[in-house]
């Protein structure tokens, strides 16, 4: 997600730190909103800015890693306890902040409604158009698991994706190594964009298939950094460094939270020697990528052009993803004014997507409904076979 991707309950905790007294900037924003002086969205952005300012003043690596890695268990236990303690210990006026934050969450939920509840609306927008499907993998087609090497998709999900690919050009866009995610999915008829879109290849059945690797020159550096990170982090139990060919992932899902800050410093110590690489954060993962202008959004544009749809107005790209890196693709669709972005998340988030789904189970249901819809005589969507230029 983007830097604006702040979950409501996390905002509450962060804003609490930014409210030393009744004159705090976030409380002022909330009071103004309560008086109707500004829009709810502006209130959200003001609160997010206040939270960000509070974090920048005294944010440790552990706090940043925790903020970027929301989990259901942490919200229902530690985060909720901390949030409750803050509310109880604060003045009664701060309750206004809590109530408005809850309202903002409800507004965001209405702004990005369920793709299942709005399926007929989506189907209507698809009539007469050629659908092109883009799917993230982890957290979208497979559940998030403790061991990244065990993130298997179910046979039922694989069957659903296969049915979708029979009807529409379909691409998997993942931060994983392309070969690894292809092995997970196990479908040769798809397009695969690994390493956050820096390694793209078309269906293996086509010898002249699309191939794009804009970061090839970084391969020796990535291998060198991988070895350094493995050595540097081996003292941290549970840490796992994954080589995704054109980028690296340092997973900390199995690391004791007390060690998160130390792990972050270890990674930072290695990366500072490589100014051509950048460090970003995802869900329980630190990611190291080349500092080039390429991301999942660029990958989507490249595939769109390779498929011959760059200047087509009768095409409807649909992108489904759960991570902050998928926001780059959502932004591209929003900027084009063409296509649908669907965020996979159980919690309200600020996003550039148009719709939402809660988890991989709902993703599968949506895909199956889309397949079923194409079978109806009343459906006039154009089913097209993948093609390469």
């Amino acid at each position: 997600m983007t830097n604006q991707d702040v979950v409501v309950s996390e905002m509450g905790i962060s804003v609490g730190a930014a409210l030393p007294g009744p004159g705090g900037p976030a409380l002022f924003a909330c009071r103004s909103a309560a008086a109707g002086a500004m829009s709810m969205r502006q209130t959200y952005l003001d609160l997010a800015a206040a939270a960000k300012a509070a974090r920048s003043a005294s944010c440790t690596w552990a706090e940043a890693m925790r903020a970027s890695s929301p989990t259901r268990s942490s919200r229902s236990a530690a985060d909720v306890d901390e949030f409750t303690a803050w509310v109880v210990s604060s003045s009664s006026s701060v309750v206004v902040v809590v109530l408005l934050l809850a309202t903002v969450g409800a507004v965001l939920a209405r702004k990005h409604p369920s793709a299942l509840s709005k399926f007929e609306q989506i189907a209507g927008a698809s009539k007469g158009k050629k659908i092109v499907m883009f799917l993230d993998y982890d957290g979208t087609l497979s559940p998030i698991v403790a061991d990244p090497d065990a993130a298997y998709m179910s046979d039922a999900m694989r069957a659903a994706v296969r049915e979708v690919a029979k009807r529409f050009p379909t691409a998997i866009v993942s931060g994983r190594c392309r070969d690894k995610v292809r092995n997970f999915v196990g479908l040769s008829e798809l397009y695969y964009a690994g390493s956050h879109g820096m390694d793209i290849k078309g269906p293996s059945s086509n010898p002249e298939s699309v191939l794009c690797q804009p970061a090839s020159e970084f391969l020796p550096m990535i291998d060198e950094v991988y070895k350094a990170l493995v050595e540097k982090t081996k003292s941290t139990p549970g840490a796992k460094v994954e080589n995704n060919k054109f980028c690296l992932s340092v997973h900390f899902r199995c690391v004791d939270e007390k060690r998160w800050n130390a792990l972050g410093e270890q990674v930072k110590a290695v990366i500072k020697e490589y100014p051509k690489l950048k460090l970003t954060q995802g869900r329980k993962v630190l990611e190291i990528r080349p500092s080039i202008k390429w991301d999942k959004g660029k990958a989507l544009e490249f595939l769109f052009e390779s498929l011959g749809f760059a200047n087509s107005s009768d095409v409807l790209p649909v992108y489904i993803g759960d991570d902050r890196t998928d926001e780059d693709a959502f932004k591209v669709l929003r900027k084009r004014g063409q296509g649908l972005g669907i965020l996979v998340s159980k919690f309200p988030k600020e996003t550039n997507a148009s719709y939402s789904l809660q988890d991989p189970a709902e993703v599968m249901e949506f895909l199956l409904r889309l397949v079923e819809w194409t079978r109806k005589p009343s459906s006039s969507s154009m089913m097209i076979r993948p093609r390469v230029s």
Side-chain angles (χ1 to χ4, degrees), residues 18 40 56 113 180 241 316 339 365:
M40 188 61 73
S56 64
K180 180 176 287 187
V241 184
L316 186 76
E365 183 179 350

mmCIF file of all heavy atoms in Angstrom, residues 18 40 56 113 180 241 316 339 365:
data_model
loop_
_atom_site.group_PDB
_atom_site.id
_atom_site.type_symbol
_atom_site.label_atom_id
_atom_site.label_comp_id
_atom_site.label_asym_id
_atom_site.label_seq_id
_atom_site.Cartn_x
_atom_site.Cartn_y
_atom_site.Cartn_z
ATOM 1 N N ALA A 18 0.123 11.786 19.138
ATOM 2 C CA ALA A 18 0.232 13.152 18.656
ATOM 3 C C ALA A 18 -0.707 14.096 19.392
ATOM 4 O O ALA A 18 -0.890 15.223 18.993
ATOM 5 C CB ALA A 18 -0.083 13.187 17.159
ATOM 6 N N MET A 40 -15.040 14.625 5.145
ATOM 7 C CA MET A 40 -14.526 13.483 5.896
ATOM 8 C C MET A 40 -13.201 13.012 5.330
ATOM 9 O O MET A 40 -12.307 12.605 6.046
ATOM 10 C CB MET A 40 -15.547 12.334 5.851
ATOM 11 C CG MET A 40 -15.181 11.172 6.774
ATOM 12 S SD MET A 40 -15.108 11.678 8.495
ATOM 13 C CE MET A 40 -16.840 11.878 8.852
ATOM 14 N N SER A 56 7.417 10.132 12.644
ATOM 15 C CA SER A 56 8.711 10.588 12.161
ATOM 16 C C SER A 56 9.562 11.152 13.281
ATOM 17 O O SER A 56 10.784 11.155 13.202
ATOM 18 C CB SER A 56 8.520 11.640 11.068
ATOM 19 O OG SER A 56 7.881 12.783 11.592
ATOM 20 N N PRO A 113 -16.627 -0.411 -1.923
ATOM 21 C CA PRO A 113 -17.560 -1.482 -1.556
ATOM 22 C C PRO A 113 -17.084 -2.856 -2.017
ATOM 23 O O PRO A 113 -16.186 -2.976 -2.861
ATOM 24 C CB PRO A 113 -18.852 -1.068 -2.276
ATOM 25 C CG PRO A 113 -18.374 -0.283 -3.453
ATOM 26 C CD PRO A 113 -17.182 0.475 -2.964
ATOM 27 N N LYS A 180 9.364 -19.101 -9.224
ATOM 28 C CA LYS A 180 8.759 -19.638 -7.996
ATOM 29 C C LYS A 180 7.242 -19.468 -8.012
ATOM 30 O O LYS A 180 6.495 -20.406 -7.691
ATOM 31 C CB LYS A 180 9.346 -18.955 -6.763
ATOM 32 C CG LYS A 180 8.765 -19.473 -5.449
ATOM 33 C CD LYS A 180 9.441 -18.841 -4.239
ATOM 34 C CE LYS A 180 10.837 -19.387 -4.064
ATOM 35 N NZ LYS A 180 11.468 -18.915 -2.791
ATOM 36 N N VAL A 241 15.669 -14.708 4.526
ATOM 37 C CA VAL A 241 15.987 -13.884 3.364
ATOM 38 C C VAL A 241 15.650 -14.676 2.104
ATOM 39 O O VAL A 241 16.127 -15.792 1.919
ATOM 40 C CB VAL A 241 17.470 -13.477 3.343
ATOM 41 C CG1 VAL A 241 17.734 -12.538 2.155
ATOM 42 C CG2 VAL A 241 17.866 -12.801 4.651
ATOM 43 N N LEU A 316 -11.365 -3.787 -20.610
ATOM 44 C CA LEU A 316 -11.546 -3.526 -19.182
ATOM 45 C C LEU A 316 -10.528 -4.332 -18.379
ATOM 46 O O LEU A 316 -10.731 -5.514 -18.106
ATOM 47 C CB LEU A 316 -12.960 -3.903 -18.735
ATOM 48 C CG LEU A 316 -13.281 -3.530 -17.277
ATOM 49 C CD1 LEU A 316 -13.534 -2.031 -17.165
ATOM 50 C CD2 LEU A 316 -14.484 -4.309 -16.770
ATOM 51 N N GLY A 339 -10.709 0.559 -16.257
ATOM 52 C CA GLY A 339 -10.397 -0.643 -15.500
ATOM 53 C C GLY A 339 -10.858 -0.570 -14.059
ATOM 54 O O GLY A 339 -11.292 0.474 -13.560
ATOM 55 N N GLU A 365 -14.447 -16.655 -5.054
ATOM 56 C CA GLU A 365 -15.874 -16.512 -5.321
ATOM 57 C C GLU A 365 -16.125 -15.496 -6.421
ATOM 58 O O GLU A 365 -16.960 -15.706 -7.317
ATOM 59 C CB GLU A 365 -16.616 -16.098 -4.043
ATOM 60 C CG GLU A 365 -18.128 -16.005 -4.222
ATOM 61 C CD GLU A 365 -18.863 -15.606 -2.947
ATOM 62 O OE1 GLU A 365 -18.229 -15.578 -1.870
ATOM 63 O OE2 GLU A 365 -20.070 -15.302 -3.050
#
